[in-house]
């Protein structure tokens, strides 16, 4: 078994976690999240569905989303009145198939796929038919009920909405460390009792910008290890950052880099990355070595500190990093 260590955090690599509901046809470009009940919910490469797994990787059920959805790019879970809800950020296009497109949106779904709320471009200051709005990330501040939406593939702006969908504020980084370049993901940091902070994966700039819960700039994290920070998970007081360019970066409670994990930087230089090229110069899934990341895109953590990772490539790849204490 491949062992990975970041300070006091120890993990064991589990390849091919999770039984797929269908044979992947497109780029795996979807998110993952963990419910309050400890189930791992994952988007689907082919269809507008949510797949629920046990921590061991057993497929428990598949829920069809009861609304048109093109790409379940990012997921976020919240619990309200004893029911789990999954927020789905739909970018409105399918990676690898230009015929599949729609209007970007964020949906609030029940565990059965019923849609109870929808937030579209009209909630963020645009026209309802604006195809430039392409939300890549979503997070919920459980203290205020505010919903933070990262429009990473569209206008490069992060929007804050009230629980009912009223516009609260929008930030583009200009009052912080500089304009965002693909704010790919947003995460709510509640590790400090005195202050809730909003982390933005400013992917194109290779940094993380931090704001307070009103949208005012707080600080910025830059580090030579950052390549393309894309998403966040939390294990105890540590933040795990998925870096699309083939690694995980672990931050401590003071946001200092503790370690990088499963560095696959040699994969990024491969022709056709995140895929490979065959003898006809056509894209094909690459050979993926165990213990090395290729193109991690989605991440979540469960209550025991286990990490679940989805990779962006043809056919996709699910990996579990089992916490060892």
């Amino acid at each position: 078994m491949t062992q990975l260590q970041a300070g006091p955090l120890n993990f064991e690599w589990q390849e091919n976690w999770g039984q797929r509901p269908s044979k992947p046809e497109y780029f795996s470009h979807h998110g993952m999240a963990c419910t309050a009940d400890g189930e791992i919910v994952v988007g689907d490469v082919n269809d507008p569905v949510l797949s629920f797994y046990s921590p061991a990787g057993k497929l428990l059920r598949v829920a069809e989303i009861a609304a048109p959805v093109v790409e379940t790019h990012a997921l976020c879970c919240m619990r309200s009145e004893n029911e789990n809800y999954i927020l789905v950020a739909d970018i409105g296009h399918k990676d690898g198939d230009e015929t599949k497109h729609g209007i970007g949106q964020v949906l609030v779904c029940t565990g059965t796929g019923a849609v109870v709320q929808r937030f579209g471009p009209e909630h963020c200051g645009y026209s309802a038919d604006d195809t430039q709005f392409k939300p890549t990330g979503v997070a919920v501040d459980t203290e205020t009920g505010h919903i933070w939406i990262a429009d990473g593939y569209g206008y490069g702006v992060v929007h804050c909405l009230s629980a009912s969908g009223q516009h609260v504020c929008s930030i583009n980084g200009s009052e912080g460390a500089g304009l965002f370049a693909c704010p790919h993901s947003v995460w709510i940091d509640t590790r400090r009792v005195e202050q809730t902070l909003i982390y933005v994966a400013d992917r194109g700039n290779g940094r993380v910008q931090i704001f307070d819960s009103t949208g005012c700039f707080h600080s910025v994290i830059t580090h030579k290890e950052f390549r393309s920070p894309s998403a966040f998970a939390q294990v105890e007081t540590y933040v795990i950052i998925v870096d699309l360019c083939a690694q995980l970066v672990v931050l401590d409670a003071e946001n200092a880099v503790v370690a990088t994990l499963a560095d696959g930087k040699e994969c990024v230089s491969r022709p056709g990355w995140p895929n490979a090229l065959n003898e006809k110069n056509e894209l094909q899934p690459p050979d993926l070595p165990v213990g090395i990341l290729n193109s991690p895109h989605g991440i979540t953590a469960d209550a025991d500190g286990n990490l679940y990772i989805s990779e962006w490539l043809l056919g996709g790849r699910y990996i579990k990093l089992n916490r060892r204490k």
Side-chain angles (χ1 to χ4, degrees):
M1 288 288 185
T2 300
Q3 307 288 329
L4 303 172
Q5 182 175 359
L9 300 180
N10 293 280
F11 299 97
E12 186 174 272
W13 182 287
Q14 181 180 341
E15 184 76 8
N16 295 323
W17 175 89
Q19 172 193 352
R20 304 296 186 88
S22 59
K23 183 179 179 180
E25 298 175 5
Y26 302 102
F27 273 81
S28 178
H29 198 210
H30 50 266
M32 312 179 86
C34 182
T35 71
D37 298 329
E39 294 180 342
I40 309 304
V41 56
V42 184
D44 188 74
V45 179
N46 301 336
D47 302 311
V49 300
L50 299 172
S51 300
F52 293 81
Y53 294 87
S54 72
K58 180 182 178 181
L59 181 61
L60 303 174
R61 63 189 181 281
V62 177
E64 183 175 354
I65 300 172
V69 173
V70 180
E71 182 71 88
T72 51
H73 184 271
L75 306 179
C76 168
C77 290
M78 68 176 185
R79 191 170 181 87
S80 177
E81 299 180 352
N82 296 319
E83 183 160 5
N84 291 317
Y85 294 93
I86 301 94
L87 283 77
V88 179
D90 173 13
I91 57 178
H93 73 265
K94 177 70 71 175
D95 208 356
D97 188 345
E98 297 301 324
T99 67
K100 296 183 180 294
H101 53 81
I103 304 294
Q105 60 186 339
V106 170
L107 302 178
V108 182
C109 303
T110 67
T112 62
V115 176
V116 297
Q117 280 181 294
R118 176 189 177 275
F119 306 113
E122 66 273 22
H123 294 91
C124 299
Y126 312 117
S127 64
D129 59 353
D130 192 336
T131 58
Q132 184 64 24
F133 179 68
K134 299 179 184 296
T136 50
V138 61
V140 178
D141 184 340
T142 55
E143 183 175 339
T144 62
H146 288 171
I147 298 167
W148 290 83
I149 299 172
D151 182 15
Y153 293 164
Y155 288 101
V157 177
V158 175
H159 304 281
C160 178
L161 306 180
S162 71
S164 62
Q166 297 298 310
H167 182 265
V168 176
C169 68
S170 296
I171 51 179
N172 63 8
S174 60
E175 295 184 0
L179 288 171
F180 297 140
C182 186
H184 191 265
S185 182
V186 61
W187 175 69
I188 313 297
D189 181 7
T190 58
R191 293 175 295 168
R192 299 165 184 81
V193 175
E194 69 278 6
Q195 188 178 33
T196 296
L197 296 173
I198 314 302
Y199 282 47
V200 177
D202 191 3
R203 189 167 80 176
N205 289 316
R207 63 192 177 194
V208 174
Q209 294 203 49
I210 305 174
F211 301 83
D212 69 17
S213 58
T214 68
C216 292
F217 179 70
H218 179 275
S219 56
V220 62
I221 308 172
T222 59
H223 197 278
K224 62 182 178 63
E225 299 295 348
F226 285 167
R227 299 170 191 155
S228 191
S230 297
F232 305 92
Q234 181 179 343
V235 175
E236 296 179 355
T237 60
Y238 295 88
V239 179
I240 317 298
I241 299 178
V242 157
D243 192 308
L244 184 68
C245 292
Q247 64 175 347
L248 302 181
V249 180
V250 182
L251 307 181
D252 65 15
E254 303 304 318
N255 289 331
V257 173
V258 175
T260 59
L261 296 177
D263 191 347
K265 59 184 176 183
E266 66 274 12
C267 297
V268 181
S269 61
R270 182 183 62 241
W273 178 87
N275 303 294
L277 298 177
N278 62 20
E279 63 278 1
K280 297 181 180 179
N281 218 35
E282 300 168 332
L283 290 178
Q284 65 178 25
D287 293 327
L288 299 171
V290 172
I292 298 296
L293 290 169
N294 178 76
S295 47
H297 181 267
I299 189 170
T300 193
D302 64 23
D304 294 323
N306 302 304
L307 294 173
Y308 305 81
I309 301 164
S310 63
E311 293 209 291
W312 168 63
L313 70 155
L314 284 171
R317 181 196 201 188
Y318 294 162
I319 302 155
K320 181 180 180 181
L321 299 185
N322 292 285
R323 177 82 185 277
R324 294 291 178 251
K325 299 181 180 180

